[in-house]
Amino acid sequence: MATLVSTNPAKNYEKLGEVEVSTEQEIQEAVKNARKANQSWATLPVSERLAYLQRFVDALKSRADEAAKLISQEMGKPISDAKGEVQTAIDDTTWIIENAESVLNPVTIREDENGVIEQHNEPYGVSAAIAAWNFPLTNFKECVLQDLAAGNTVVFKHSEENPLVGKLIDELMQTAEFPEGVFTQVYGAGEVGDILTDQDVDFISFIGSSKVGRTLYKKAAEKFINVRLEMGGSSPGIVFEDVDIETTARQVVSDRFFNTGQVCDAMKRLLVQESIYDEFISAVQKEVESLNFGSPDKEDVSVSCLVAERQVQPILDQINKSVEQGAEILVGGKKAKNMDGAYIEPTLITNVTENMPVWAEEVFGPVLPVMTFKDEAEAIKLANNTQYGLSGYVHTADKERAVRVAKEIKAGQIATNGVHNYYPEVCFGGYKASGIGRTCGPAGLLTGTQIKIITRLK
């Protein structure tokens, strides 16, 4: 029996545990059981479905510290951030429990003396869900829990980078006592995801790379089924000359280096207006140099290791190739010395051009490349010159300009002047190669459904 071995990327890849890889027969059986359970689950009143989610939340609360420690160990997330992720998963699922019924209830579209026309939001059926490793609990919530609330049954595969978090999720879902077949988890790497999405499913929910997302979109097209794809990003950050230098520099560094830069919608390309460039980059450099970089098990660490050894060299290659083309490293730029694990120093790179890998490609790690711009029009042009369209960041003292520029950036969510959008009621998703559909909030619940119109006599 093949196994997935879990290692600690912060502790020289020491073994944490292992799980058995699901066989093709087990995956097929999981989908068949989901199909059998689908009708009874879909017709269950929303309030009764949500009671199962509440039991999941209660179980997670009782094991919150254990979950945070496991997330930190398995993917190298700083322990303070891991604790924050657990609380976010609790808060977001609680929002679903408190609001899903009103979102999903039928809506009267028209009513006259002859009858009533209602819009119903009907679940697709069986969902194949695949999630990334960078936020293992919240990604599970977005791929699975909102679609269960909407009435779908789900067969779920988590990333091969965090199989032990997957096992914990399985235990929590068993504690919640979902009916047989409503939720099943399978384990493995990409080949298991391929087998799962080859089955007789009605919907694919995916969080991960744009490369894999494109493959799944083609597969869904052949099946003629719908998808929710939350994929990669190379989000621009635009800093105009009228900002408060120190405050904005602090915000920029936070938006780039949170979760060691392993965030799909992190600020990955920084654009600074020429007139303040020297002063602003000096402030950014000080902030990067002051980041507490170290082992994720320390409460005060803000930047730590990457999720796996295989992530290290591709990022170093992006840095080194950019330097060969003329980029200049102000901070970091190499694998950390005297640290056994997947550690890359927080890195600040200037003298960057659009064709360099650190700018043209998504860099999924603690690297911030910088370019300058002359005016608003050039800033918008540079910001939009990418295949991605997940997020964007705008900093300016001119509130009207902030909104004007935000409207011009081709991305799913734009944060202006440090006002973030990470609330459970706010939807999330991107344009272009960053995705299709939305997760979170009412839109996330509705993305897992299709519209049915029913007319009836009064």
Side-chain angles (χ1 to χ4, degrees):
M1 178 70 70
T3 60
L4 272 179
V5 177
S6 174
T7 62
N8 187 334
K11 303 292 183 183
N12 205 26
Y13 315 105
E14 65 182 15
K15 182 177 177 179
L16 294 170
E18 61 183 42
V19 301
E20 292 184 355
V21 174
S22 300
T23 66
E24 184 170 359
Q25 182 178 351
E26 288 170 336
I27 297 165
Q28 291 171 344
E29 191 67 24
V31 174
K32 288 179 182 178
N33 289 338
R35 180 68 63 195
K36 290 177 184 177
N38 182 246
Q39 181 64 23
S40 58
W41 181 251
T43 56
L44 200 66
V46 177
S47 60
E48 294 185 31
R49 295 199 296 261
L50 296 175
Y52 291 95
L53 268 68
Q54 183 61 62
R55 289 199 283 271
F56 168 83
V57 168
D58 293 341
L60 177 56
K61 286 179 180 178
S62 71
R63 300 178 70 176
D65 289 342
E66 177 188 354
K69 182 178 180 181
L70 188 56
I71 290 170
S72 180
Q73 289 178 328
E74 199 163 37
M75 66 154 289
K77 187 189 291 281
I79 186 63
S80 58
D81 292 343
K83 291 177 180 178
E85 183 187 344
V86 174
Q87 188 59 52
T88 296
I90 291 170
D91 293 344
D92 287 2
T93 308
T94 299
W95 183 90
I96 293 173
I97 294 165
E98 294 174 348
N99 294 276
E101 194 166 7
S102 62
V103 173
L104 296 168
N105 277 344
V107 176
T108 298
I109 302 299
R110 178 182 171 84
E111 183 174 359
D112 57 26
E113 67 276 8
N114 296 318
V116 177
I117 302 174
E118 292 178 336
Q119 177 177 306
H120 293 247
N121 300 297
E122 187 172 270
Y124 283 107
V126 177
S127 172
I130 301 173
W133 47 263
N134 56 339
F135 293 91
L137 262 182
T138 52
N139 287 347
F140 164 74
K141 181 270 302 182
E142 293 174 14
C143 267
V144 175
L145 294 182
Q146 62 186 356
D147 291 336
L148 288 174
N152 299 283
T153 54
V154 181
V155 181
F156 172 62
K157 188 195 86 69
H158 219 319
S159 169
E160 62 272 25
E161 300 293 1
N162 48 246
L164 300 186
V165 175
K167 282 186 67 176
L168 176 61
I169 288 170
D170 243 344
E171 292 169 8
L172 296 173
M173 294 295 279
Q174 289 168 18
T175 299
E177 298 182 322
F178 280 81
E180 183 179 356
V182 169
F183 170 81
T184 309
Q185 185 170 181
V186 295
Y187 295 87
E191 60 273 14
V192 170
D194 284 339
I195 295 170
L196 171 58
T197 51
D198 281 340
Q199 304 306 306
D200 178 24
V201 297
D202 306 300
F203 183 67
I204 296 174
S205 179
F206 172 73
I207 298 177
S209 72
S210 297
K211 179 180 179 181
V212 174
R214 288 178 188 274
T215 300
L216 293 176
Y217 195 27
K218 291 178 182 178
K219 185 177 290 191
E222 293 174 356
K223 292 176 176 288
F224 218 72
I225 62 174
N226 218 328
V227 297
R228 178 198 293 115
L229 306 175
E230 199 271 276
M231 306 189 295
S234 188
S235 302
I238 301 174
V239 177
F240 287 96
E241 60 188 356
D242 57 357
V243 300
D244 179 275
I245 297 290
E246 292 186 2
T247 301
T248 305
R250 194 174 306 118
Q251 185 66 53
V252 162
V253 171
S254 174
D255 288 336
R256 179 59 190 115
F257 292 94
F258 172 65
N259 203 33
T260 313
Q262 300 171 117
V263 183
C264 56
D265 68 323
M267 180 188 296
K268 297 192 175 88
R269 297 177 295 133
L270 178 60
L271 293 157
V272 181
Q273 197 155 19
E274 286 180 346
S275 56
I276 62 163
Y277 176 77
D278 290 340
E279 184 181 3
F280 189 77
I281 292 306
S282 177
V284 170
Q285 181 173 347
K286 289 178 182 177
E287 291 292 332
V288 174
E289 290 173 338
S290 69
L291 288 169
N292 199 340
F293 175 52
S295 177
D297 56 1
K298 296 180 180 179
E299 287 283 352
D300 60 344
V301 163
S302 57
V303 179
S304 190
C305 64
L306 301 176
V307 69
E309 183 178 15
R310 67 183 178 88
Q311 300 289 102
V312 175
Q313 195 57 50
I315 294 175
L316 292 176
D317 287 344
Q318 289 173 313
I319 294 171
N320 294 335
K321 288 177 183 177
S322 298
V323 170
E324 289 172 5
Q325 295 175 34
E328 179 182 353
I329 296 174
L330 293 188
V331 183
K334 56 187 181 298
K335 189 171 181 180
K337 295 180 179 179
N338 304 318
M339 299 178 77
D340 292 327
Y343 293 92
I344 291 179
E345 297 171 338
T347 300
L348 177 63
I349 302 181
T350 59
N351 201 32
V352 172
T353 59
E354 289 183 89
N355 62 324
M356 293 178 180
V358 292
W359 191 271
E361 302 170 5
E362 180 179 22
V363 182
F364 215 67
V367 180
L368 179 59
V370 188
M371 285 182 62
T372 63
F373 65 90
K374 294 183 178 67
D375 54 26
E376 183 176 314
E378 185 181 21
I380 293 168
K381 180 180 178 182
L382 289 169
N384 285 332
N385 187 20
T386 175
Q387 65 171 315
Y388 299 106
L390 190 52
S391 298
Y393 302 82
V394 180
H395 291 274
T396 174
D398 185 335
K399 295 179 182 179
E400 291 184 0
R401 176 164 61 184
V403 174
R404 183 174 66 244
V405 173
K407 288 181 177 180
E408 292 295 324
I409 296 175
K410 305 304 180 185
Q413 46 274 321
I414 311 299
T416 70
N417 296 316
V419 180
H420 71 78
N421 57 285
Y422 303 117
Y423 296 97
E425 66 270 32
V426 180
C427 71
F428 183 84
Y431 294 8
K432 300 189 284 186
S434 289
I436 294 172
R438 292 295 182 268
T439 187
C440 302
L445 285 164
L446 294 174
T447 298
T449 67
Q450 52 194 335
I451 293 173
K452 173 178 281 185
I453 299 298
I454 298 178
T455 68
R456 60 179 174 84
L457 292 171
K458 294 187 73 171

